[in-house]
Amino acid sequence: MSQKVKVAVLGASGYSGIELLRLLLRHPHATLVAVTSRTLAGKALSDEFPRFRQVGVSDTLTFTAPDVASLKQSGAEIAFLALPHGVSVEYAKPLLEAGIKVIDLSADFRLRSAEVYKEFYAHEHPAPELLDEAVYALPEIRAEEIKKARLIACPGCYPTSILLPLIPLLKAGLLAEDPLAVSSMSGASGAGRNASIPLLFCEVQNSLRSYSVPQHRHLSEVGQELSLAAGMPVKLSFVPHLVPVYAGICTTTFATPKEGVTVEQVEAVLKEAYADQPFIRLLGKNQSPDTKHVMGTNFVDIGWALDARAGRLILMSAEDNIGKGASSQAIQNMNLVCGFDPAAGLMSV
Amino acid sequence: MSQKVKVAVLGASGYSGIELLRLLLRHPHATLVAVTSRTLAGKALSDEFPRFRQVGVSDTLTFTAPDVASLKQSGAEIAFLALPHGVSVEYAKPLLEAGIKVIDLSADFRLRSAEVYKEFYAHEHPAPELLDEAVYALPEIRAEEIKKARLIACPGCYPTSILLPLIPLLKAGLLAEDPLAVSSMSGASGAGRNASIPLLFCEVQNSLRSYSVPQHRHLSEVGQELSLAAGMPVKLSFVPHLVPVYAGICTTTFATPKEGVTVEQVEAVLKEAYADQPFIRLLGKNQSPDTKHVMGTNFVDIGWALDARAGRLILMSAEDNIGKGASSQAIQNMNLVCGFDPAAGLMSV
Amino acid sequence: MSQKVKVAVLGASGYSGIELLRLLLRHPHATLVAVTSRTLAGKALSDEFPRFRQVGVSDTLTFTAPDVASLKQSGAEIAFLALPHGVSVEYAKPLLEAGIKVIDLSADFRLRSAEVYKEFYAHEHPAPELLDEAVYALPEIRAEEIKKARLIACPGCYPTSILLPLIPLLKAGLLAEDPLAVSSMSGASGAGRNASIPLLFCEVQNSLRSYSVPQHRHLSEVGQELSLAAGMPVKLSFVPHLVPVYAGICTTTFATPKEGVTVEQVEAVLKEAYADQPFIRLLGKNQSPDTKHVMGTNFVDIGWALDARAGRLILMSAEDNIGKGASSQAIQNMNLVCGFDPAAGLMSV
Amino acid sequence: MSQKVKVAVLGASGYSGIELLRLLLRHPHATLVAVTSRTLAGKALSDEFPRFRQVGVSDTLTFTAPDVASLKQSGAEIAFLALPHGVSVEYAKPLLEAGIKVIDLSADFRLRSAEVYKEFYAHEHPAPELLDEAVYALPEIRAEEIKKARLIACPGCYPTSILLPLIPLLKAGLLAEDPLAVSSMSGASGAGRNASIPLLFCEVQNSLRSYSVPQHRHLSEVGQELSLAAGMPVKLSFVPHLVPVYAGICTTTFATPKEGVTVEQVEAVLKEAYADQPFIRLLGKNQSPDTKHVMGTNFVDIGWALDARAGRLILMSAEDNIGKGASSQAIQNMNLVCGFDPAAGLMSV
């Protein structure tokens, strides 16, 4: 461990990119050797992001254009892609060919099926030959595969909050086939750091609204992973909402338990599934998670309740959308890939 | 109409009470003659609420203790009860006996059944003999009864947003018997103006969380009214969430349409039901309402979507929880009771 | 008064423009006959701003490109210019020539001196011949001139909050020649409705910062008006701050009173100056105004304190920057120009 | 350094206390051995503050009543007092007698003069004999004294932001005797975690207001320290404002430079004074600091501008009021007292 891993962040000027920088600048086993941004190329990191002045190596870094040859030359062993969907895929292949492992935060490699990709993203997948190799990297579910992977597809922010409570219950066969209903709320950082009137402070501050109804893109990866866990197709309705916080996702899922399933069984299954997971916190029956307790962290807090009157199981989860929903989960995956302590650089609040 | 109706507000120091004052101070056909507050008795209205200084009659008003004899003497013809649940009921009977009509914003007279009341409010109803007379006063649904009523029970904030999209669809028989799943978000004013650590700015600002899971009290009145509309028992799961805005409710409902029901049928039913209603705005298919467009108003904005993949109808509504969800709806009811234009004093943004 | 004045709003898609629409749609003596926006031309008003659906005449209005001939044809008698600085001036002259009175919310006609304009706005004034005619329209100070004016230059948002407490004290000769120090905070709507990363919700929400230090453009009009009031040049330092609220300006001014001046004298001067002004609320000694009490209104709340230890008079004022700081003040000026009750359409909270 | 210092936090349930816990739970050289709270005694830390579940030693800690004998028994070598003013003083003496060093975050030991204390705090100082020993612990100014101290009085939040830009300039003799004018804005955490209606989310969210005008208590310590730096009495007016953010202080100071002083001289003095200080970031001329860049950190960002028109020097600073303004500065002081790297446990963003 005396040797630190050298890492690069591509697309470092968005909210996920900034969070990656924040976490990597203090990671005990990683050194940031390159940060790229097409719009900021040539500018000093700490001029653009004054919060990083005098922090770690930040004052020595300058944004460069994303160029694989230069990244190779910088010594980068791992590249984080905090790029828009459709852009990551352009860099992944040459980076892998240059021997640099790729941890992608976009949606480009999350789906196993190029057809489903086309249905949800409205164009052909540009590199379908990589879909088999990519690992859908939910570390609590798929740690062994992640450790061996070259191409890591980090789950989406909403999917992380939806999948973690559901997968163990589906695997244990506790849920009926009834379609799931999922309602999530997300902070505005989930919409990205783009100059756009609907994302202005004055437009968002007093606003509560759903969007992308009825077919948000994240439905595709959630459906894929739930169906894998259940061993059969799982249907769900999903409604995301934008709310006036910087970050945080709060997800409420309505599921139909199989006849006779008790809340104790639900609790037992979750406890067994996540007994050794440092970043899953099981709050207990009828306990509501609160995003303020997970802000800036890699935790997912989970509660559950049985609504006997309506015959529904209610699952509740909270995470930081740019933490566990994006950047800190990416670093958790890096820790697995590199053989570090899974919690290295992440166990703070 | 040359004569203005004289009104009193009991419990004028809470958020619903303040909103009643704001609306009544500028109502063209009403004059505020008394404001009561046990904690503020003896204090001048505009000292306690500087926003009302130099507005209408506000500088002439002083808070008094709630006392029916004095209210009678003030000439009040209508009393708004913006009191906590369980307190309104103490005043309703003597006010009615004194010949003063009652518009109650609490939950005390919303349920037809004293048994259901006991199940949800955990004690015997103190005046069950009044439950038959009270009108559950959703003005878009029950205008004729409201016009003749002495005792008006204004619907709860969440119920208003849940019931308005659903009632026409249930009446038209478009929905299957599957339990409904309802997820709502509310601003902090819904929790009241009480000195309490969980409601502090620093506790709420970066917080998204559900609460009262799985059995919020509002389930009782929603179940009652949906079942009346459907002509059969309707089951639902309901999860409310607290989010960091002053006011606003955004509700998302997942329903199962009967086989073959189309989105055009849904739209036609809603349009017919609300064709002449000034405060219902039907946004259209796949259109998400936004609370910022209804803030400070009596509007409910409604959108809908058919999720064919999962076989679910998604209903979306937005209102101001202290407006249409409480105080402006109370005034809409007053307008009906007094024979005024239903929109009098309410048509602003 | 049976006849309503016909008005047009140019630049109706910004925050001041939206606030003008909100106020004009319910004004008892005005009818909105045209709304212009270069970017939204051809679109229905209530599609772009769903909050205005079903409100007054809004559903009949469509944005047009700003064109003087069409405006004339619409019957507009008064045009509100809610345009960027430098754009208003292009429309003012042809509108006046077409016989349409102009109420300009930009900075284009606020300065008497084309030289000072050039110093602060970095280019020659394009229509210096109109500067003499334009009235710097602070209605509490200059009502008689406003009544007769064709070209109304509404004061800036910061200047309104700075000038109103100071002008009576300067006129009364209570202040020493020491330069004033003024610190103001403004909500984000003051920065306009422009797609820009620094104005995103995620950039503004947890941010407190000054800007345009040391020479904000508003210094020019404040200096002009204070010097006029004092009858001699008045110097001041001014630091504006951006804070995470939608609207509101809170201004704190440090002045040096002449030797021996008492807090009672200050109070007496302010009370006499504003005795008959419906929108000035004098809070009293050591009383801090709060922007939440003036939101959505045309009020300015004013407090004052004498800091005997440091020999400073502290003046505090609060207003809504898009209300009294822009749009409602513009309507107050329209009321004067048209001979309406000065508070018509404005006396709400 | 193999041995960690054992620390206790008294008053751990307020915002400064929570921030101390957050920082100490991850401090590389400190172990939290006791947390006290009169209201929470007997409760598990991670039940009350779910954000700390599964973080460091938090799951092993239970709140106790503050009792010096038990604290001694816990092995605590240093006690942080995050107690209200007037309460800290009760614990400081017995803790010192028990051989436990005291780092006090309250105002109890900040003043050298019991008379000034009485003037500003309205009662006799209860332990004037300790005032001589206590060190006013601004680590950038007084590191050598802090290293040797037993009783550390951490500066107030506003004073830290006011003093750091001014002290070097006063020491260098660049400022004239004119009274200073200081305007600060603070987030709501500065008002404490007290159940109080004015601190509710709904009261604070849309509110900008000054308070404690004209004589805030912090004036006393600021005056003391500025006068010490100048070698002569320094006068100032100070107006604090409450704004709707969780944390952050933004301070703007208007000073009169001596005749002929240039902005380059100001910059040179600040650069020399803070050349080796890891937590002072000098932004440059006309650069405005932004609280979002210092949130959760121990940094103070400083900008300056010369307003030649008015003859004023404008100083601007930003800090996290519960970080550098309270808890992280307290830990910076602990690092000095214990001989650790001054930045240990603090260099993150």
Side-chain angles (χ1 to χ4, degrees), chain C residues 213-214 237-239, chain D residues 252-255 303-307 312-316:
Chain C
V213 179
S237 263
F238 169 54
V239 177
Chain D
T252 298
T253 296
F254 301 86
W304 52 90
L306 195 63
D307 182 357
R312 287 287 184 266
L313 176 67
I314 298 168
L315 299 167
M316 302 168 281

Side-chain angles (χ1 to χ4, degrees), chain D residues 176-231:
Chain D
E177 282 187 47
D178 221 22
L180 302 158
V182 182
S183 172
S184 292
M185 304 179 278
S186 171
S189 56
R193 195 160 176 261
N194 309 305
S196 141
I197 284 182
L199 298 181
L200 294 183
F201 178 84
C202 290
E203 303 295 316
V204 171
Q205 192 208 7
N206 288 306
S207 167
L208 308 174
R209 63 178 170 91
S210 54
Y211 64 98
S212 294
V213 180
Q215 191 171 340
H216 189 279
R217 288 171 167 185
H218 282 175
L219 270 170
S220 55
E221 57 184 283
V222 174
Q224 166 185 289
E225 297 296 313
L226 292 180
S227 300
L228 274 171

